[in-house]
Amino acid sequence: MRLHAPLARLLRPLVRLFIRTGITFPALSQLLRELYINVAEYDFALPDKAQTDSRVSLLTGIHRKEVSKLRGAGAPIHNTPATLSWSSRIIAHWLAAPAYTDALGAPRPLPRSGEAPSFEALVASITKDLRPRAVLDEWLDRNLVSIDENGFIRLEEKAFLPQAGSEQQLYYFGRNLHDHIAASVENIVGQAPVFFERAVHYDDLSAPLAARLEARSRDLAMNVLQDANREAHAAYEEAPGGDWRWTFGIYIYREKVKPEPQEDSGKDAS
C-alpha cells in the first residue's frame, strides 16, 4: 500500500495530540467508524440512487448491522462558533479596509466611538447583533486589543494568534488542516494537480540558521497574508454572494531531527 508510509507520517503528530489530550484508541476508532460511514453515505452516493446499508458496508468494510445503526451519526465538521465568526470578520475588516489602515497597511488605532473610522463604527459595519462595548470588553479580556494613553484602541499581535487550547484555536486547527489535506487529496486523486501546494525545505541546518529562517519566513508570510486579505476584502465588498469559499494558507515548521522510529515485531525480547 503506497499510502502507508506517508499516512503514518501524517498521523504521527495527531496521535501525539490524541495521547496528550486523553483521546484513547477506542474513542478514535469509534469516531473513524462514524466518519467512514458518513463519507461513504454522502460522498460516494450514486447519481439518482438511494445509498443503501449494503453499499456503505461494501465501501467501508464495516458490518451492515453496524452501518445501519450508525448512519447519520457522523461528527459535524462545518460548524463555526458564532462569536468566533464575528470576531474574525471584524478583525479582517480592521486589517483590510482602507479607512481602518494607515499608509503602510497597518491597522489604525481607533477612537472608541464616533463616525468611521472608530471601533464602534467598525463593529457596526459587520454586525448590528453585537454591542461594540461587549466586543471591546471581550477583546480586552482576551488581550486582542489594548487602550493607549490617548484612549485609542489598538489591535494587538495576539489578535493573529489564538490562545493555546482555546475554542478559536481548535476551530482553526480543524479547518486549516482540513483544507490543506483536502487540497492535497484532490491533487492526488485528480487528473492533474489543481490546487497550488508547495513548500521550501532545507535539511542539515544549524539551530541558529533554522531559527533565523523561521523568523524571516514569518515576516514574509504575514506580509503575503495581509496583502491577500486586503485584495480579497475589497473584492468581497463589491461582489455578489454565492455558495463557494476560498482559503489561502501558509505554514512554517522547524524541528530538531530525530532518528526515524523503527518498526519491530511487537514482541518483547526474551
Side-chain angles (χ1 to χ4, degrees):
M1 180 181 177
R2 292 189 302 162
L3 276 176
H4 186 274
L7 188 60
R9 185 168 189 174
L10 182 155
L11 290 175
R12 189 173 185 84
L14 290 176
V15 171
R16 283 203 302 267
L17 175 66
F18 299 154
I19 293 174
R20 185 182 297 274
T21 57
I23 298 177
T24 62
F25 179 77
L28 178 63
S29 176
Q30 178 64 20
L31 175 61
L32 284 173
R33 186 178 291 106
E34 293 173 0
L35 285 173
Y36 257 77
I37 292 171
N38 185 268
V39 169
E41 179 176 5
Y42 294 105
D43 294 10
F44 288 84
L46 297 174
D48 303 319
K49 288 188 177 181
Q51 191 69 296
T52 65
D53 292 349
S54 294
R55 186 162 188 274
V56 172
S57 177
L58 179 65
L59 289 169
T60 63
I62 299 172
H63 195 280
R64 190 166 57 86
K65 289 184 178 180
E66 192 78 358
V67 169
S68 178
K69 182 174 68 173
L70 292 176
R71 279 182 71 175
I77 58 174
H78 297 300
N79 294 338
T80 306
T83 56
L84 172 57
S85 178
W86 290 127
S87 290
S88 297
R89 290 181 60 189
I90 294 168
I91 291 173
H93 192 75
W94 194 348
L95 291 168
Y100 290 92
T101 55
D102 61 22
L104 298 177
R108 293 179 182 273
L110 301 178
R112 185 171 305 202
S113 59
E115 298 295 324
S118 70
F119 188 81
E120 186 178 81
L122 171 67
V123 175
S125 68
I126 300 301
T127 176
K128 300 295 192 298
D129 295 332
L130 297 174
R131 292 189 301 110
R133 177 69 201 193
V135 175
L136 177 59
D137 288 344
E138 179 187 353
W139 285 12
L140 286 169
D141 183 63
R142 292 165 55 190
N143 296 317
L144 301 183
V145 295
S146 62
I147 300 178
D148 65 20
E149 63 276 7
N150 297 316
F152 281 74
I153 301 168
R154 293 179 174 272
L155 188 64
E156 295 294 321
E157 185 178 359
K158 287 187 178 181
F160 309 103
L161 303 171
Q163 184 178 359
S166 65
E167 180 183 31
Q168 182 183 22
Q169 187 188 52
L170 292 176
Y171 168 74
Y172 281 114
F173 166 75
R175 180 184 176 119
N176 292 343
L177 286 185
H178 167 275
D179 289 357
H180 190 167
I181 294 172
S184 299
V185 169
E186 286 298 316
N187 290 344
I188 291 172
V189 302
Q191 296 299 316
V194 293
F195 291 111
F196 187 90
E197 189 205 5
R198 300 288 187 273
V200 177
H201 51 87
Y202 282 80
D203 299 327
D204 303 321
L205 303 176
S206 66
L209 178 55
R212 178 158 64 87
L213 290 174
E214 180 191 356
R216 175 57 178 152
S217 57
R218 283 176 179 269
D219 292 338
L220 291 171
M222 184 55 70
N223 289 335
V224 170
L225 289 172
Q226 288 177 335
D227 286 346
N229 180 50
R230 281 190 288 270
E231 186 171 335
H233 180 271
Y236 180 81
E237 292 292 297
E238 299 176 359
D243 55 1
W244 286 76
R245 69 183 186 92
W246 163 79
T247 297
F248 174 55
I250 300 173
Y251 71 91
I252 302 166
Y253 183 68
R254 68 181 172 95
E255 68 172 350
K256 184 176 182 180
V257 179
K258 301 176 182 177
E260 289 290 333
Q262 299 296 315
E263 294 187 4
D264 56 38
S265 64
K267 298 179 180 179
D268 294 333
S270 56

